Amino acid sequence: MDGVINVYKEQGYTSFDVVAKLRGILKTKKIGHTGTLDPMAEGVLPVCVGRATKLCGILTESDKYYEAEFKLGLETDTEDITGQVVNTADEKVLRSIDERDVREAAMHFVGEYDQIPPMYSAIKVDGKKLYDYARKGIEIERKPRHVCIFEISGFAYHGDSVSMTVHCSKGTYIRSLVRDIGRRLGCYATLTALKRTLVYGFEAGKSLKLDEIAERVAGGRLSEILLPIDSMLKDYEAFSVPETAFKPLKNGNKLKSEILLPIYGGPEFETVKKDKAIYRIYDDEGIKALYEYEEASGELTPYRMFL
C-alpha cells in the first residue's frame, strides 16, 4: 500500500489525529502528513502512505494557499480566536480604520519578510516545543523565520471582520501574518477562521474527510483515492536502468549517467542532463528512487529512495 491521499482535515482535529485515525482505517503504521494544520484550521492535508512517506519532505516544501478570516480590535496569546485576549484596541482607533487602511496594511507584507512565529507552535527550542513553554506562562525569544507572501487577494471587509486569500511559502504562519497586519494598523487583529485550499496541486474541493475515506476502504475502493508515488513527481524527467543495474539501484549505489534509458517516450538523458538536477529512476517493477546528477563525475547520487 503505497501512495498519497488527499485528506480534508476538519476543525477540531490535529494533524497527528488525522494520521492516527488513518492508521486504523488503512490498517498500516507507515503514514506521514505533509504539513501541520492547527486544530482550529481545516482544509487540504495530503497524507503519504507506505513508501510514499519518503515524499513528505518534498510535498512539505511547496507553497500553499489559504482562505483566512480575522477580527480587528483584539490580540490573543495563541494569535487566534481560541486563545486568551491579551491586547485590545481603543474604540476611537478602531472606528477610524476603513477597508483601504486594512488593505494597505496587508499589502505591506507581500513579498519576503522576517516573521516572528507564535509562542503556541510546535517549533522546538532547546528540545522543547514552544507551546510547552507557553502553557507554563514562559515567553521565549523566537528567531524570525524568513517567509514569502506571494499574493494577498480576495478582500472582503465587514466592519471589524476581514476575509482574504493568501498565497505563501512554506513555514508561514497565517496567525502571525494577521497579528502583524493588526499591529501595523495599530488596532490589533486575531485569526478567526482558516482553510487551506491548495498545496502541491491538491485541492480542497477534491479532498476527502476521514469518514469518506473509511467508506471507500470498507467498499474495497482504496485504489480510487490512493495516488501513486510517481504521479507526484511528474516535474522530474524519468529514466530506467538496464537489468544489470537493478541490484545497484536497489542498494542505493551511484549510477553512471550513460546507462540511463529513455522511458515513456521521453528524451535521451544527454539532451536534458543538468548539474544538480533531480531525475526519476525506474526498474522493471516501477519507480525506485529520485537521483541527483553530478556533472563533474558524470554520476547520479541517491536523493530519495522508495524501497
Side-chain angles (χ1 to χ4, degrees), residues 15-307:
S15 299
F16 179 82
D17 290 337
V18 170
V19 169
K21 288 180 179 296
L22 277 176
R23 286 193 177 112
I25 293 169
L26 301 177
K27 303 294 189 295
T28 184
K29 293 183 178 180
K30 200 169 185 181
I31 299 179
H33 66 75
T34 59
T36 302
L37 274 177
D38 294 332
M40 188 196 78
E42 59 184 305
V44 177
L45 182 69
V47 172
C48 300
V49 183
R51 292 189 302 148
T53 52
K54 299 295 181 68
L55 291 172
C56 286
I58 295 173
L59 301 188
T60 304
E61 291 290 314
S62 65
D63 49 328
K64 299 166 178 67
Y65 291 78
Y66 295 92
E67 292 176 358
E69 296 177 14
F70 60 95
K71 183 178 178 64
L72 301 175
L74 72 157
E75 189 173 279
T76 70
D77 54 358
T78 59
E79 301 180 4
D80 63 30
I81 204 64
T82 67
Q84 298 295 315
V85 175
V86 292
N87 289 307
T88 56
D90 183 278
E91 283 296 324
K92 289 183 180 179
V93 173
L94 195 57
R95 286 197 300 269
S96 70
I97 293 169
D98 59 21
E99 182 175 358
R100 177 179 167 183
D101 296 325
V102 176
R103 188 184 298 269
E104 287 180 354
M107 298 308 287
H108 171 81
F109 295 99
V110 174
E112 298 182 358
Y113 92 103
D114 291 328
Q115 184 184 76
I116 303 294
M119 270 301 301
Y120 280 87
S121 64
I123 296 171
K124 287 188 176 181
V125 174
D126 295 332
K128 291 179 65 177
K129 294 178 180 178
L130 282 176
Y131 60 66
D132 289 329
Y133 291 106
R135 287 166 180 166
K136 295 178 181 178
I138 302 171
E139 180 84 10
I140 298 292
E141 183 177 353
R142 285 96 72 201
K143 293 182 179 179
R145 305 178 84 183
H146 197 66
V147 300
C148 185
I149 308 299
F150 300 108
E151 184 181 20
I152 299 178
S153 60
F155 273 96
Y157 184 80
H158 308 285
D160 63 354
S161 296
V162 183
S163 59
M164 63 184 181
T165 299
V166 181
H167 174 199
C168 61
S169 67
K170 68 157 190 168
T172 303
Y173 282 91
I174 304 300
R175 283 183 284 149
S176 299
L177 172 62
V178 166
R179 173 204 65 201
D180 294 341
I181 292 171
R183 289 181 180 179
R184 184 167 180 82
L185 284 165
C187 72
Y188 304 115
T190 194
L191 188 71
T192 55
L194 184 65
K195 179 180 178 180
R196 187 155 68 194
T197 57
L198 181 67
V199 55
Y200 206 84
F202 291 96
E203 302 173 24
K206 297 180 180 179
S207 56
L208 297 172
K209 297 177 181 179
L210 289 172
D211 58 350
E212 294 174 317
I213 295 170
E215 182 181 337
R216 281 167 171 75
V217 171
R221 298 159 56 201
L222 175 61
S223 60
E224 295 177 2
I225 60 173
L226 189 66
L227 302 174
I229 292 172
D230 55 356
S231 70
M232 302 291 103
L233 303 170
K234 291 181 179 178
D235 289 342
Y236 303 106
E237 294 283 1
F239 296 91
S240 65
V241 296
E243 187 175 352
T244 54
F246 286 176
K247 186 173 182 180
L249 172 60
K250 288 180 180 179
N251 289 337
N253 295 344
K254 289 186 176 183
L255 302 173
K256 290 289 186 181
S257 63
E258 57 263 29
I259 72 168
L260 298 184
L261 305 170
I263 191 173
Y264 303 141
E268 298 284 341
F269 184 74
E270 285 295 311
T271 66
V272 295
K273 68 179 183 181
K274 183 179 179 181
D275 190 39
K276 303 302 180 184
I278 307 298
Y279 301 91
R280 284 181 282 162
I281 307 297
Y282 292 71
D283 64 7
D284 61 331
E285 297 174 338
I287 189 168
K288 281 295 179 288
L290 291 176
Y291 267 68
E292 181 179 13
Y293 176 61
E294 298 175 347
E295 188 173 38
S297 65
E299 293 181 322
L300 294 98
T301 303
Y303 179 75
R304 289 282 192 283
M305 300 298 297
F306 304 117
L307 302 178

